[in-house]
Amino acid sequence: METSGSKEPVLYGEQLAGEWSEWVETPNPEGSREKELFPEVRSWLAQRRPTNVVDIGCGQGILSTLVPSEIDYYGVDLSEPLIARAKKQYAAPRRSFESGDAYRLPFEAATFDAAISFWVWSHLASPLRAAAEMSRVLKPHGSCLIITANPETYDVRRGFYSRYEEKDGLIIGDFDLGDGRKLTNTTLYLHTIPDLYAALKGAGLVIEETKRAGMLDEYPAGLYLIISAMKG
Ligand SMILES: C[S@@+](CC[C@H](N)C(=O)[O-])C[C@H]1O[C@@H](n2cnc3c(N)ncnc32)[C@H](O)[C@@H]1O
């Protein structure tokens, strides 16, 4: 299997990229992504007012639509099919999409006021390396927002797979999206909250706030963590 030069396999090939794009591009205003998480991104940007933002693991690019048009947005993703989709779907002034690895971002040091990584760190074997690279491209006092699977609800999450294998802290399996849809052979690294915090702190990022969100009525711990931090 192709690899990103790091330990994990590159899984968003044609099939998973197609499944992902179809799901994301089907409006679901009552889903936690659109109802709870997108507003968090919008309000975080409104508070920080960056001049530019890098979206690390941008997928098919939908987060670019949450970013005010006067902000320069740079989406980066390892998946060529998803970057191709992003360019087709969301090409606009001040929007750029390019292939790149979260561990080796194609940008100079101290380029960005803000960085977002939304549902990406659970795919990464090493949050430590990803945080270091994110910190490298942030300007001093730049801000970052990490939205990822909440380790406190991994047990709930295991129930969302129609089939999975778990070994050495990694789940690989078919994630059931409902309505007969699924994400085939997708990965979930079972990082702990201390792992995530240690990654950020180790990269010189000061954690400002952690929120929990995602189907809180059903799962009071929340399916997602929303961690905001600042480069010291
Ligand atoms: C669940 S999707 C989320 C996409 C997007 N952030 C969103 O929420 O719409 C995870 C994305 O992480 C990307 N990804 C995984 N490992 C990566 C890496 N090492 N560098 C860059 N992107 C990566 C995948 O290709 C995929 O597009």
mmCIF file with all atom_site columns, all heavy atoms in Angstrom, residues 141-152:
data_model
loop_
_atom_site.group_PDB
_atom_site.id
_atom_site.type_symbol
_atom_site.label_atom_id
_atom_site.label_alt_id
_atom_site.label_comp_id
_atom_site.label_asym_id
_atom_site.label_entity_id
_atom_site.label_seq_id
_atom_site.pdbx_PDB_ins_code
_atom_site.Cartn_x
_atom_site.Cartn_y
_atom_site.Cartn_z
_atom_site.occupancy
_atom_site.B_iso_or_equiv
_atom_site.pdbx_formal_charge
_atom_site.auth_seq_id
_atom_site.auth_comp_id
_atom_site.auth_asym_id
_atom_site.auth_atom_id
_atom_site.pdbx_PDB_model_num
ATOM 1  N N   . HIS A 1 141 ? 2.291   33.880 17.850 1.00 0.00 ? 141 HIS A N   1
ATOM 2  C CA  . HIS A 1 141 ? 0.937   34.199 18.325 1.00 0.00 ? 141 HIS A CA  1
ATOM 3  C C   . HIS A 1 141 ? -0.172  33.781 17.350 1.00 0.00 ? 141 HIS A C   1
ATOM 4  O O   . HIS A 1 141 ? -1.329  34.169 17.526 1.00 0.00 ? 141 HIS A O   1
ATOM 5  C CB  . HIS A 1 141 ? 0.786   35.690 18.678 1.00 0.00 ? 141 HIS A CB  1
ATOM 6  C CG  . HIS A 1 141 ? 1.869   36.174 19.583 1.00 0.00 ? 141 HIS A CG  1
ATOM 7  N ND1 . HIS A 1 141 ? 2.081   35.648 20.849 1.00 0.00 ? 141 HIS A ND1 1
ATOM 8  C CD2 . HIS A 1 141 ? 2.857   37.095 19.399 1.00 0.00 ? 141 HIS A CD2 1
ATOM 9  C CE1 . HIS A 1 141 ? 3.125   36.232 21.398 1.00 0.00 ? 141 HIS A CE1 1
ATOM 10 N NE2 . HIS A 1 141 ? 3.627   37.103 20.543 1.00 0.00 ? 141 HIS A NE2 1
ATOM 11 N N   . GLY A 1 142 ? 0.191   32.989 16.341 1.00 0.00 ? 142 GLY A N   1
ATOM 12 C CA  . GLY A 1 142 ? -0.838  32.425 15.469 1.00 0.00 ? 142 GLY A CA  1
ATOM 13 C C   . GLY A 1 142 ? -1.701  31.435 16.249 1.00 0.00 ? 142 GLY A C   1
ATOM 14 O O   . GLY A 1 142 ? -1.284  30.910 17.283 1.00 0.00 ? 142 GLY A O   1
ATOM 15 N N   . SER A 1 143 ? -2.898  31.178 15.725 1.00 0.00 ? 143 SER A N   1
ATOM 16 C CA  . SER A 1 143 ? -3.866  30.332 16.436 1.00 0.00 ? 143 SER A CA  1
ATOM 17 C C   . SER A 1 143 ? -4.154  29.060 15.656 1.00 0.00 ? 143 SER A C   1
ATOM 18 O O   . SER A 1 143 ? -4.100  29.063 14.417 1.00 0.00 ? 143 SER A O   1
ATOM 19 C CB  . SER A 1 143 ? -5.190  31.069 16.583 1.00 0.00 ? 143 SER A CB  1
ATOM 20 O OG  . SER A 1 143 ? -5.022  32.236 17.323 1.00 0.00 ? 143 SER A OG  1
ATOM 21 N N   . CYS A 1 144 ? -4.504  28.014 16.385 1.00 0.00 ? 144 CYS A N   1
ATOM 22 C CA  . CYS A 1 144 ? -4.913  26.786 15.683 1.00 0.00 ? 144 CYS A CA  1
ATOM 23 C C   . CYS A 1 144 ? -6.143  26.183 16.334 1.00 0.00 ? 144 CYS A C   1
ATOM 24 O O   . CYS A 1 144 ? -6.409  26.390 17.523 1.00 0.00 ? 144 CYS A O   1
ATOM 25 C CB  . CYS A 1 144 ? -3.776  25.774 15.622 1.00 0.00 ? 144 CYS A CB  1
ATOM 26 S SG  . CYS A 1 144 ? -3.222  25.213 17.210 1.00 0.00 ? 144 CYS A SG  1
ATOM 27 N N   . LEU A 1 145 ? -6.884  25.462 15.507 1.00 0.00 ? 145 LEU A N   1
ATOM 28 C CA  . LEU A 1 145 ? -8.117  24.813 15.945 1.00 0.00 ? 145 LEU A CA  1
ATOM 29 C C   . LEU A 1 145 ? -8.091  23.366 15.469 1.00 0.00 ? 145 LEU A C   1
ATOM 30 O O   . LEU A 1 145 ? -8.002  23.107 14.260 1.00 0.00 ? 145 LEU A O   1
ATOM 31 C CB  . LEU A 1 145 ? -9.331  25.534 15.327 1.00 0.00 ? 145 LEU A CB  1
ATOM 32 C CG  . LEU A 1 145 ? -10.696 25.076 15.812 1.00 0.00 ? 145 LEU A CG  1
ATOM 33 C CD1 . LEU A 1 145 ? -10.912 25.472 17.275 1.00 0.00 ? 145 LEU A CD1 1
ATOM 34 C CD2 . LEU A 1 145 ? -11.808 25.682 14.952 1.00 0.00 ? 145 LEU A CD2 1
ATOM 35 N N   . ILE A 1 146 ? -8.121  22.447 16.444 1.00 0.00 ? 146 ILE A N   1
ATOM 36 C CA  . ILE A 1 146 ? -8.109  21.018 16.124 1.00 0.00 ? 146 ILE A CA  1
ATOM 37 C C   . ILE A 1 146 ? -9.472  20.452 16.505 1.00 0.00 ? 146 ILE A C   1
ATOM 38 O O   . ILE A 1 146 ? -9.897  20.584 17.662 1.00 0.00 ? 146 ILE A O   1
ATOM 39 C CB  . ILE A 1 146 ? -7.024  20.264 16.959 1.00 0.00 ? 146 ILE A CB  1
ATOM 40 C CG1 . ILE A 1 146 ? -5.649  20.906 16.805 1.00 0.00 ? 146 ILE A CG1 1
ATOM 41 C CG2 . ILE A 1 146 ? -6.996  18.781 16.617 1.00 0.00 ? 146 ILE A CG2 1
ATOM 42 C CD1 . ILE A 1 146 ? -5.104  20.898 15.409 1.00 0.00 ? 146 ILE A CD1 1
ATOM 43 N N   . ILE A 1 147 ? -10.136 19.862 15.540 1.00 0.00 ? 147 ILE A N   1
ATOM 44 C CA  . ILE A 1 147 ? -11.411 19.188 15.829 1.00 0.00 ? 147 ILE A CA  1
ATOM 45 C C   . ILE A 1 147 ? -11.205 17.715 15.503 1.00 0.00 ? 147 ILE A C   1
ATOM 46 O O   . ILE A 1 147 ? -10.861 17.364 14.367 1.00 0.00 ? 147 ILE A O   1
ATOM 47 C CB  . ILE A 1 147 ? -12.572 19.794 15.009 1.00 0.00 ? 147 ILE A CB  1
ATOM 48 C CG1 . ILE A 1 147 ? -12.705 21.281 15.345 1.00 0.00 ? 147 ILE A CG1 1
ATOM 49 C CG2 . ILE A 1 147 ? -13.872 19.036 15.276 1.00 0.00 ? 147 ILE A CG2 1
ATOM 50 C CD1 . ILE A 1 147 ? -13.845 22.005 14.657 1.00 0.00 ? 147 ILE A CD1 1
ATOM 51 N N   . THR A 1 148 ? -11.361 16.872 16.510 1.00 0.00 ? 148 THR A N   1
ATOM 52 C CA  . THR A 1 148 ? -11.037 15.461 16.306 1.00 0.00 ? 148 THR A CA  1
ATOM 53 C C   . THR A 1 148 ? -11.933 14.583 17.168 1.00 0.00 ? 148 THR A C   1
ATOM 54 O O   . THR A 1 148 ? -12.677 15.078 18.025 1.00 0.00 ? 148 THR A O   1
ATOM 55 C CB  . THR A 1 148 ? -9.529  15.222 16.601 1.00 0.00 ? 148 THR A CB  1
ATOM 56 O OG1 . THR A 1 148 ? -9.158  13.924 16.148 1.00 0.00 ? 148 THR A OG1 1
ATOM 57 C CG2 . THR A 1 148 ? -9.199  15.352 18.084 1.00 0.00 ? 148 THR A CG2 1
ATOM 58 N N   . ALA A 1 149 ? -11.878 13.283 16.921 1.00 0.00 ? 149 ALA A N   1
ATOM 59 C CA  . ALA A 1 149 ? -12.686 12.333 17.694 1.00 0.00 ? 149 ALA A CA  1
ATOM 60 C C   . ALA A 1 149 ? -12.356 12.479 19.180 1.00 0.00 ? 149 ALA A C   1
ATOM 61 O O   . ALA A 1 149 ? -11.180 12.569 19.548 1.00 0.00 ? 149 ALA A O   1
ATOM 62 C CB  . ALA A 1 149 ? -12.375 10.917 17.222 1.00 0.00 ? 149 ALA A CB  1
ATOM 63 N N   . ASN A 1 150 ? -13.391 12.495 20.005 1.00 0.00 ? 150 ASN A N   1
ATOM 64 C CA  . ASN A 1 150 ? -13.187 12.600 21.453 1.00 0.00 ? 150 ASN A CA  1
ATOM 65 C C   . ASN A 1 150 ? -12.826 11.220 22.016 1.00 0.00 ? 150 ASN A C   1
ATOM 66 O O   . ASN A 1 150 ? -13.654 10.304 21.974 1.00 0.00 ? 150 ASN A O   1
ATOM 67 C CB  . ASN A 1 150 ? -14.462 13.131 22.111 1.00 0.00 ? 150 ASN A CB  1
ATOM 68 C CG  . ASN A 1 150 ? -14.309 13.275 23.611 1.00 0.00 ? 150 ASN A CG  1
ATOM 69 O OD1 . ASN A 1 150 ? -13.260 12.940 24.178 1.00 0.00 ? 150 ASN A OD1 1
ATOM 70 N ND2 . ASN A 1 150 ? -15.348 13.778 24.254 1.00 0.00 ? 150 ASN A ND2 1
ATOM 71 N N   . PRO A 1 151 ? -11.619 11.070 22.560 1.00 0.00 ? 151 PRO A N   1
ATOM 72 C CA  . PRO A 1 151 ? -11.225 9.774  23.109 1.00 0.00 ? 151 PRO A CA  1
ATOM 73 C C   . PRO A 1 151 ? -12.191 9.241  24.174 1.00 0.00 ? 151 PRO A C   1
ATOM 74 O O   . PRO A 1 151 ? -12.283 8.036  24.371 1.00 0.00 ? 151 PRO A O   1
ATOM 75 C CB  . PRO A 1 151 ? -9.843  10.059 23.725 1.00 0.00 ? 151 PRO A CB  1
ATOM 76 C CG  . PRO A 1 151 ? -9.314  11.205 22.920 1.00 0.00 ? 151 PRO A CG  1
ATOM 77 C CD  . PRO A 1 151 ? -10.521 12.054 22.619 1.00 0.00 ? 151 PRO A CD  1
ATOM 78 N N   . GLU A 1 152 ? -12.932 10.151 24.821 1.00 0.00 ? 152 GLU A N   1
ATOM 79 C CA  . GLU A 1 152 ? -13.878 9.695  25.857 1.00 0.00 ? 152 GLU A CA  1
ATOM 80 C C   . GLU A 1 152 ? -15.064 8.945  25.258 1.00 0.00 ? 152 GLU A C   1
ATOM 81 O O   . GLU A 1 152 ? -15.834 8.327  25.994 1.00 0.00 ? 152 GLU A O   1
ATOM 82 C CB  . GLU A 1 152 ? -14.392 10.912 26.646 1.00 0.00 ? 152 GLU A CB  1
ATOM 83 C CG  . GLU A 1 152 ? -13.284 11.585 27.444 1.00 0.00 ? 152 GLU A CG  1
ATOM 84 C CD  . GLU A 1 152 ? -13.590 13.038 27.801 1.00 0.00 ? 152 GLU A CD  1
ATOM 85 O OE1 . GLU A 1 152 ? -14.461 13.663 27.154 1.00 0.00 ? 152 GLU A OE1 1
ATOM 86 O OE2 . GLU A 1 152 ? -12.925 13.561 28.709 1.00 0.00 ? 152 GLU A OE2 1
#
